[in-house]
Amino acid sequence: MKLAIFGGSGATGRLVIDRAVEAGHEVTALVRRPESLEGVNGHVRIVPGRLDDRTAMDQTVGGSDAVVSALGSRDGRRPTMVYSQGIAAVLVAEARRIVAVSAVPAAPDEGKTFLERRLVHPLLGVFFGGGYADMRRMEELLTVSETEWTVLRPPRLTNGPAKGTYRKSTGHLSRPSSISRADLAAAMLAAVEDAGLVRQFVTVSY
């Protein structure tokens, strides 16, 4: 499968690239700094550029079977547009299949526990509200698009090794705790080919 990957220089994105290469996919990645993907040369087609570079976007998305977006803000405490502007650019480039990452706290309150609604997620919003707000904008853009999208909502991410097993639900999982970036990357790639997850929000957690 031909995959276009965004956010590949980030902690989760690099794992997505590594797993995609291991699985034998043809990978194209858009990055501002090609040196940030040191070690993948020969296995990944690297397109230097930014999300607002239409030519670079077309070169990355064109001919792909799916887009995997691991875009994220390096400082979730500050207002950001990286999620929504990134997905908007992907939509303009006419991606046919999109798998993107959001977060559990960005989900609507429906289905959440009283503690999550009243304490846990509002508290997280104080520290990371800028990121969550833009995740919601990204989700809305996908919802009103005609693209075959899937959004994965993980809870707290860790840098631990992959366990190879995790829970997933198109509803709200009870007591989502954490998931490693390695297992999140695996879940994102698995979602690409899962027709049952098209136009679904998926919670993934241990």
Side-chain angles (χ1 to χ4, degrees):
M1 180 173 285
K2 296 180 179 179
L3 300 179
I5 297 177
F6 293 88
S9 61
T12 300
R14 180 57 187 266
L15 291 169
V16 172
I17 288 178
D18 290 343
R19 282 186 170 269
V21 169
E22 290 171 4
H25 296 300
E26 295 182 38
V27 176
T28 299
L30 175 76
V31 290
R32 286 184 292 177
R33 296 179 294 104
E35 65 272 16
S36 65
L37 292 184
E38 182 180 357
V40 302
N41 290 335
H43 301 284
V44 177
R45 175 173 168 249
I46 299 175
V47 178
R50 299 169 58 93
L51 293 165
D52 57 1
D53 183 336
R54 180 62 187 274
T55 298
M57 287 295 298
D58 289 344
Q59 289 175 351
T60 306
V61 176
S64 65
D65 298 304
V67 167
V68 180
S69 174
L71 289 169
S73 171
R74 297 187 184 278
D75 185 356
R77 302 186 182 196
R78 297 182 180 181
T80 182
M81 298 290 284
V82 67
Y83 301 95
S84 58
Q85 289 183 350
I87 285 301
V90 169
L91 290 171
V92 168
E94 300 183 354
R96 293 174 290 180
R97 176 79 174 103
I98 301 173
V99 173
V101 65
S102 180
V104 165
D109 284 344
E110 182 181 356
K112 294 181 181 179
T113 66
F114 177 83
L115 193 61
E116 288 171 332
R117 293 196 310 270
R118 298 298 186 184
L119 178 62
V120 179
H121 292 174
L123 183 60
L124 288 172
V126 171
F127 295 99
F128 306 108
Y132 297 148
D134 198 44
M135 288 175 187
R136 296 185 187 101
R137 287 189 287 267
M138 174 192 73
E139 291 183 359
E140 177 62 23
L141 287 173
L142 288 170
T143 300
V144 300
S145 75
E146 297 181 358
T147 307
E148 295 183 353
W149 56 266
T150 300
V151 171
L152 272 69
R153 290 171 172 159
R156 181 175 61 88
L157 294 176
T158 74
N159 293 320
K163 294 183 178 181
T165 59
Y166 49 85
R167 296 182 297 152
K168 69 178 181 181
S169 174
T170 53
H172 185 69
L173 281 175
S174 62
R175 297 182 359 185
S177 55
S178 66
I179 189 170
S180 71
R181 297 178 188 277
D183 279 322
L184 174 59
M188 294 178 74
L189 289 175
V192 169
E193 300 184 76
D194 191 338
L197 298 183
V198 171
R199 300 190 70 81
Q200 296 287 339
F201 295 102
V202 184
T203 305
V204 288
S205 178
Y206 293 137

